[in-house]
Amino acid sequence: MTTSSIPTSTVQSNAETRLYIDGELRESPTGRTAENINPATEELLGVVTDGGAEDMESAIAAARRAFDTTDWSTNHEFRRHCLLQLHEALQEEKEDIRAELVAEVGAPLSSTYIAHLDWPIADSIRWPAHYISEFPWERALPDGALLGAPYRRKVVKEALGVVGAITPWNFPFEIISNKVAQILATGNTMVLKPAIETPWSGLRWGRIVAEKTDIPAGVFNVVPTSDNGVAQLLATDPRVDMVSFTGSTAVGTLLQRLSADTMKRTLLELGGKSAYMVLDDADMDAALPGCIGALIHSGQGCGLTTRMLVPRQAYDQAVEVATAMFAAIPVGDPTDPTTFCGPLVSAKQRDRVLNYIEIGKQQGGRVTVGGGKPQQLDRGYFVAPTVFADVDASHRLFQEEIFGPVITVTPYDGGDEALIELANNSSYGLSGAVMGSPDRAMSVARRIRTGTMNLNGAMFYGADAPFGGYKMSGVGRQNGHEGFEQHLHTKTIGYTTA
């Protein structure tokens, strides 16, 4: 892998700024625009169209018409063809997408070669496209004759209809690509509402679909908006059959309530407070440095393991290792290939994280490194990588999602049982990691109430792997076979052949 820095000028002329509604790239009739700010420099990257209620209404109407009047939902081969076109088009624009992620998201360039871009762009669209021909769309049940006359029965899977997809700013390409692929592969039409903080990463999809695929008008629509009331139309409009949301638990619970009046299906991938669990038989020299994973994208990831749980006898060593690792991490310009930790996405998010750091101090946590803004950076929304020791389960830093470059280190006594109890002491249940002997690690993993787990450096990640959480981390699963099921109705039919 070869990396080089990316100047902002490379993306300004390539960015898409228009909405995509019913097959047309256009501005909003409201004339509203939103600023796109570079979080590393606080400079204006450009302005984009800010959608209004009329735009969302048009997009929903287009998606409803496309579902009801075209064969998109039933023409499996055509959908496969269109999605493979989309996959190829994304490969062609890969470097432009990379530059946008660095510029508007503040994603360190190095991170775009993993979860921000290279991992999802490889199979997020391609895998569902191929799975269309493998998925069991129908299955036969045993014949029946309850009223004396024989008949047959079968179960069929059908698209839900119109799906409203609401995506966040932290991993925009990765999350958008996985939603788009599953929604369209299963025969639904959709309205995408990408985060207004990172609009380029969403709006580009409209131009690619318009110019490089045969996806019919209305099947795919893109409407970013800064107005929460406009976004909430996706949850309240009866023409929308499902809301697929990735973001905070607070917003997810609101969307679930708003969707209830029209009995929409909801797919909610929400917050997390995942544990990095070290067993007492782990190789500490190999296991403890893994805490560095909490700093991916400056901690702005719902599945990152931000609670480090270690046996009491290894506690001092764990604090020492975490402190040294976090102190050594390069922080700064995300276009620099050597930078591991870039900015937070906005001043609002930076201030939120700094406030949590103060809360941690007030509750008795001990900062061993970091704890504020990096002294060498006078611009940008940066927070120094921070380690908190002496944090117990009653502390807010242990229980609440910070979404920044902050990790807590907590000791446990009493072996695996105590570890499991401590790890499960959370309202969240999204992900986690266990380090230790394989059999014990697997035994512990099976008892942690989370939707995904990584053991001894192995990773669950992939378009074929269902992703979602337990408890307040969400409802439903995205990706894989289970992701297909999430976007489909089930119909049972009894019939005769005569």
Side-chain angles (χ1 to χ4, degrees), residues 219-244:
V219 167
F220 178 75
N221 307 271
V222 186
V223 183
T225 178
S226 61
D227 187 335
N228 290 337
V230 173
Q232 290 169 13
L233 293 174
L234 291 171
T236 58
D237 195 304
R239 294 170 295 179
V240 178
D241 300 284
M242 174 179 175
V243 172
S244 177

Side-chain angles (χ1 to χ4, degrees), residues 161-226:
V162 177
V163 179
I166 303 174
T167 58
W169 44 258
N170 60 327
F171 283 80
F173 179 84
E174 196 271 348
I175 295 169
I176 290 172
S177 62
N178 283 309
K179 287 194 186 298
V180 169
Q182 294 258 322
I183 292 167
L184 298 186
T186 46
N188 299 287
T189 60
M190 68 179 293
V191 178
L192 170 65
K193 202 296 289 183
I196 199 66
E197 293 87 349
T198 54
W200 287 348
S201 297
L203 291 170
R204 177 175 290 272
W205 286 80
R207 188 170 73 200
I208 290 175
V209 167
E211 297 178 353
K212 297 186 177 182
T213 78
D214 295 324
I215 295 175
V219 167
F220 178 75
N221 307 271
V222 186
V223 183
T225 178
S226 61

Side-chain angles (χ1 to χ4, degrees), residues 6 98 101-102 107-119:
I6 299 176
R98 190 185 314 281
L101 289 170
V102 174
L109 179 59
S110 59
S111 72
T112 68
Y113 290 93
I114 51 174
H116 265 297
L117 180 60
D118 279 16
W119 289 354

Side-chain angles (χ1 to χ4, degrees), residues 30-236:
T30 66
R32 295 193 316 177
T33 60
E35 293 184 341
N36 195 6
I37 302 296
N38 184 324
T41 65
E42 304 182 43
E43 295 174 348
L44 178 66
L45 291 168
V47 296
V48 300
T49 302
D50 187 356
E54 181 180 340
D55 302 305
M56 189 63 76
E57 157 68 26
S58 298
I60 293 171
R64 186 77 257 171
R65 176 195 53 75
F67 184 82
D68 292 341
T69 64
T70 73
D71 69 346
W72 178 258
S73 66
T74 57
N75 193 333
H76 295 180
E77 186 54 39
F78 180 59
R79 293 206 306 272
R80 182 177 183 274
H81 159 76
C82 290
L83 285 172
L84 290 176
Q85 284 182 318
L86 179 57
H87 170 77
E88 291 303 322
L90 290 169
Q91 311 312 307
E92 294 171 4
E93 302 200 11
K94 182 176 178 178
E95 295 312 313
D96 284 342
I97 296 169
R98 190 185 314 281
E100 286 179 352
L101 289 170
V102 174
E104 70 170 356
V105 184
L109 179 59
S110 59
S111 72
T112 68
Y113 290 93
I114 51 174
H116 265 297
L117 180 60
D118 279 16
W119 289 354
I121 203 171
D123 67 351
S124 62
I125 306 294
R126 182 173 56 188
W127 188 89
H130 288 303
Y131 199 59
I132 292 171
S133 60
E134 300 174 20
F135 182 79
W137 296 96
E138 296 188 7
R139 79 174 191 273
L141 296 177
D143 293 347
L146 291 178
L147 297 176
Y151 52 82
R152 295 180 177 176
R153 298 180 300 159
K154 65 180 176 180
V155 178
V156 299
K157 299 291 184 178
E158 299 177 345
L160 285 171
V162 177
V163 179
I166 303 174
T167 58
W169 44 258
N170 60 327
F171 283 80
F173 179 84
E174 196 271 348
I175 295 169
I176 290 172
S177 62
N178 283 309
K179 287 194 186 298
V180 169
Q182 294 258 322
I183 292 167
L184 298 186
T186 46
N188 299 287
T189 60
M190 68 179 293
V191 178
L192 170 65
K193 202 296 289 183
I196 199 66
E197 293 87 349
T198 54
W200 287 348
S201 297
L203 291 170
R204 177 175 290 272
W205 286 80
R207 188 170 73 200
I208 290 175
V209 167
E211 297 178 353
K212 297 186 177 182
T213 78
D214 295 324
I215 295 175
V219 167
F220 178 75
N221 307 271
V222 186
V223 183
T225 178
S226 61
D227 187 335
N228 290 337
V230 173
Q232 290 169 13
L233 293 174
L234 291 171
T236 58

Side-chain angles (χ1 to χ4, degrees), residues 191-466:
V191 178
L192 170 65
K193 202 296 289 183
I196 199 66
E197 293 87 349
T198 54
W200 287 348
S201 297
L203 291 170
R204 177 175 290 272
W205 286 80
R207 188 170 73 200
I208 290 175
V209 167
E211 297 178 353
K212 297 186 177 182
T213 78
D214 295 324
I215 295 175
V219 167
F220 178 75
N221 307 271
V222 186
V223 183
T225 178
S226 61
D227 187 335
N228 290 337
V230 173
Q232 290 169 13
L233 293 174
L234 291 171
T236 58
D237 195 304
R239 294 170 295 179
V240 178
D241 300 284
M242 174 179 175
V243 172
S244 177
F245 170 76
T246 297
S248 72
T249 296
V251 175
T253 55
L254 172 62
L255 289 172
Q256 193 166 43
R257 288 195 296 270
L258 293 174
S259 298
D261 287 343
T262 52
M263 296 300 290
K264 295 188 200 319
R265 185 175 298 182
T266 54
L267 171 57
L268 305 174
E269 193 274 284
L270 308 177
K273 193 67 181 178
S274 302
Y276 187 80
M277 293 163 273
V278 181
L279 305 185
D280 58 20
D281 67 355
D283 177 347
M284 296 299 166
D285 291 337
L288 295 178
C291 66
I292 201 67
L295 285 184
I296 293 173
H297 193 25
S298 298
Q300 298 173 112
C302 53
L304 298 179
T305 49
T306 56
R307 292 184 296 151
M308 190 178 185
L309 311 181
V310 298
R312 176 75 62 178
Q313 62 269 27
Y315 177 62
D316 290 342
Q317 182 185 359
V319 172
E320 181 181 350
V321 169
T323 301
M325 295 290 292
F326 276 48
I329 290 301
V331 179
D333 181 4
T335 69
D336 185 338
T338 66
T339 296
F340 185 82
C341 196
L344 300 183
V345 75
S346 65
K348 177 182 177 181
Q349 184 63 20
R350 177 201 59 198
D351 293 345
R352 179 180 187 272
V353 173
L354 291 174
N355 182 58
Y356 263 112
I357 290 173
E358 291 308 308
I359 291 170
K361 294 175 182 177
Q362 293 166 11
Q363 291 195 313
R366 173 167 55 95
V367 175
T368 65
V369 68
K373 301 177 184 178
Q375 294 183 356
Q376 75 276 19
L377 299 172
D378 58 0
R379 300 192 70 185
Y381 310 128
F382 293 93
V383 173
T386 300
V387 174
F388 267 93
D390 304 341
V391 174
D392 64 42
S394 68
H395 291 186
R396 289 180 62 183
L397 261 61
F398 188 94
Q399 295 290 343
E400 298 178 20
E401 186 176 45
I402 301 170
F403 230 60
V406 180
I407 192 171
T408 61
V409 187
T410 302
Y412 65 88
D413 298 292
D416 294 356
E417 292 298 321
L419 171 61
I420 291 166
E421 181 180 359
L422 190 60
N424 284 333
N425 187 349
S426 172
S427 61
Y428 295 109
L430 188 58
S431 193
V434 185
M435 304 295 288
S437 59
D439 289 345
R440 280 181 63 189
M442 181 61 74
S443 178
V444 169
R446 288 183 178 276
R447 296 178 60 191
I448 304 300
R449 293 186 53 76
T450 64
T452 58
M453 290 292 292
N454 296 312
L455 275 59
N456 292 316
M459 299 187 67
F460 69 84
Y461 184 86
D464 59 349

